[in-house]
Amino acid sequence: MTPLLQVSNLVTEFGGGKGRPGLKAVNDVSFSVERGRVLGLVGESGSGKSVTGFSIMRLLEHPGRIASGQVIFDGTDIARLSDEEMRRLRGKRIAMVFQDPMMTLNPVLTIATQMVEAVRAHDDVSKEVARQRSRDALGLVGIPSPEERLSAYPHQFSGGMRQRVAIAIALLHKPDLIIADEPTTALDVTIQSQIISEFQKLAEQSNTAVVWITHDLAVVSRLADDIAVMYAGRLVETGPVSKVLSTPRHPYTAGLIGSVPSQNRRGERLRQIGGMTPAINRLPEGCSFRTRCDLATDGCRAMPALLAEADRSFRCIHPVTREIA
Ligand SMILES: Nc1ncnc2c1ncn2[C@@H]1O[C@H](COP(=O)(O)OP(=O)(O)OP(=O)(O)O)[C@@H](O)[C@H]1O
Ligand SMILES: [Mg+2]
């Protein structure tokens, strides 16, 4: 089956030009998502997850730009679309839930005005029908008394409520692809659960493809089919969630899993990966993780190739082989 979204060798840079290289926030990233599947895109802060999302949406702001590589959505190279064609795609067929909901919401308009406008931007329906759809969407994300809440302004909502409204707006048109950037981080666990269920339903019943960006491996293991792990702008490991989380190959993935409390390790201290993600303008040559890696050797001073192993891949010459308890 042809994937709905195919990202190939994507490089997104900030700055540079006039012969000077830019800083690669996203470096040679390739992955694909089929209809009805959920990809969890994980990695520490600054690893390039949001910039990957913005690149796919063509929402990079100056000085950010796609330097090379391709984003193919449903057979179309998005770089070839006009701004107007891209605008028509956004919101209707591809939606993004931004890490900051105020990127979606306009502070000076009521939620009703914004949602009705969002419905009618792509569908020729009456205001009443659009309002009904907006109310239903707010209900789906667990907003109590949606009719009353519609006449409120964003500042009258808590951060978590604003996030839910932004999710509701993304769901309005049942898009083919949703890129959800830390959509449930600000939410309490009950609401988080409800929203995860809504995304699961969307994937199963509407065949929506989802890229779910998060730090939270517990959510990924529950929701995602596949996982892509980013480190310092590069993908270091990809594969089916169950396999990658039970037998991570890349030491960074193993480290991330090690820093999640598990039932088997209850009572033990959380293990953290030592050190910090290096800034993208100060990456060590070769494997970017080597300065924090217990397994690193001189061989890691050269960039490791992406190795394929059945349906998974990883970028490491000292892959971990043990199973995670
Ligand atoms: N507008 C910008 N100008 C310059 N550099 C930027 C810009 N936006 C992002 N970057 C750089 O790109 C890199 C990746 O940032 P990105 O926001 O994608 O990280 P992230 O994985 O989403 O992190 P987080 O988990 O904190 O949201 C960072 O090193 C950041 O400094
Ligand atoms: Mg981010």
Side-chain angles (χ1 to χ4, degrees):
M1 194 159 65
T2 329
L4 180 72
L5 174 70
Q6 174 90 54
V7 176
S8 309
N9 308 107
L10 179 70
V11 178
T12 303
E13 292 186 349
F14 287 97
K18 294 201 181 114
R20 282 179 303 116
L23 289 177
K24 292 184 170 56
V26 175
N27 197 348
D28 196 21
V29 162
S30 302
F31 62 84
S32 60
V33 195
E34 288 176 12
R35 290 176 192 274
R37 305 275 292 182
V38 180
L39 173 76
L41 184 58
V42 306
E44 285 169 304
S45 194
S47 55
K49 306 181 298 294
S50 295
V51 173
T52 301
F54 289 135
S55 306
I56 296 168
M57 297 294 290
R58 253 178 63 180
L59 287 174
L60 289 165
E61 279 176 12
H62 183 78
R65 65 179 192 287
I66 295 182
S68 56
Q70 267 188 330
V71 176
I72 309 283
F73 172 74
D74 199 13
T76 302
D77 181 349
I78 61 147
R80 293 182 191 279
L81 296 177
S82 67
D83 289 349
E84 177 51 34
E85 286 167 327
M86 196 64 214
R87 248 195 307 277
R88 277 205 297 269
L89 210 61
R90 256 188 249 122
K92 176 75 178 169
R93 295 197 61 204
I94 312 181
M96 183 155 178
V97 179
F98 297 99
Q99 203 163 357
D100 172 5
M102 290 314 285
M103 290 211 24
T104 302
L105 300 175
N106 184 330
V108 301
L109 298 176
T110 64
I111 301 299
T113 306
Q114 304 187 49
M115 291 188 80
V116 165
E117 220 169 75
V119 172
R120 286 164 42 103
H122 298 288
D123 287 343
D124 187 15
V125 295
S126 69
K127 280 192 178 158
E128 290 66 40
V129 169
R131 196 177 168 101
Q132 179 61 50
R133 268 172 62 183
S134 306
R135 202 182 303 136
D136 294 347
L138 291 181
L140 283 183
V141 295
I143 291 193
S145 328
E147 179 55 41
E148 284 162 41
R149 304 306 282 174
L150 270 176
S151 38
Y153 288 86
H155 72 263
Q156 295 172 296
F157 285 69
S158 68
M161 284 280 227
R162 283 200 282 267
Q163 186 61 283
R164 280 190 262 171
V165 175
I167 294 170
I169 291 176
L171 300 183
L172 277 176
H173 292 283
K174 289 205 168 63
D176 297 320
L177 170 69
I178 296 191
I179 299 171
D181 194 352
E182 300 279 4
T184 58
T185 310
L187 307 178
D188 68 55
V189 281
T190 321
I191 299 297
Q192 185 180 58
S193 259
Q194 184 175 347
I195 287 180
I196 289 171
S197 305
E198 279 311 317
F199 273 82
Q200 260 161 345
K201 237 192 279 171
L202 209 63
E204 280 161 23
Q205 296 171 5
S206 309
N207 232 1
T208 298
V210 180
V211 177
W212 186 279
I213 298 175
T214 183
H215 295 95
D216 191 337
L217 288 181
V219 172
V220 169
S221 72
R222 180 170 158 204
L223 173 69
D225 302 293
D226 301 290
I227 185 169
V229 182
M230 281 189 91
Y231 186 79
R234 286 184 187 265
L235 280 188
V236 294
E237 178 151 17
T238 64
V241 163
S242 54
K243 288 188 192 169
V244 172
L245 293 186
S246 61
T247 56
R249 293 285 180 253
H250 200 287
Y252 175 63
T253 315
L256 280 182
I257 297 167
S259 57
V260 171
S262 92
Q263 291 211 319
N264 305 325
R265 282 191 287 270
R266 212 180 309 177
E268 260 182 53
R269 283 186 52 150
L270 277 189
R271 208 152 50 84
Q272 296 282 344
I273 307 175
M276 285 188 359
T277 313
I280 49 172
N281 57 353
R282 260 174 265 130
L283 291 182
E285 55 172 340
C287 172
S288 318
F289 186 58
R290 71 182 169 83
T291 48
R292 297 170 72 188
C293 183
D294 293 339
L295 305 174
T297 58
D298 272 352
C300 305
R301 289 174 187 274
M303 179 55 73
L306 199 63
L307 299 176
E309 183 184 86
D311 48 359
R312 51 194 297 195
S313 69
F314 50 87
R315 197 183 278 282
C316 180
I317 59 170
H318 303 296
V320 178
T321 48
R322 73 189 155 83
E323 286 219 16
I324 298 282

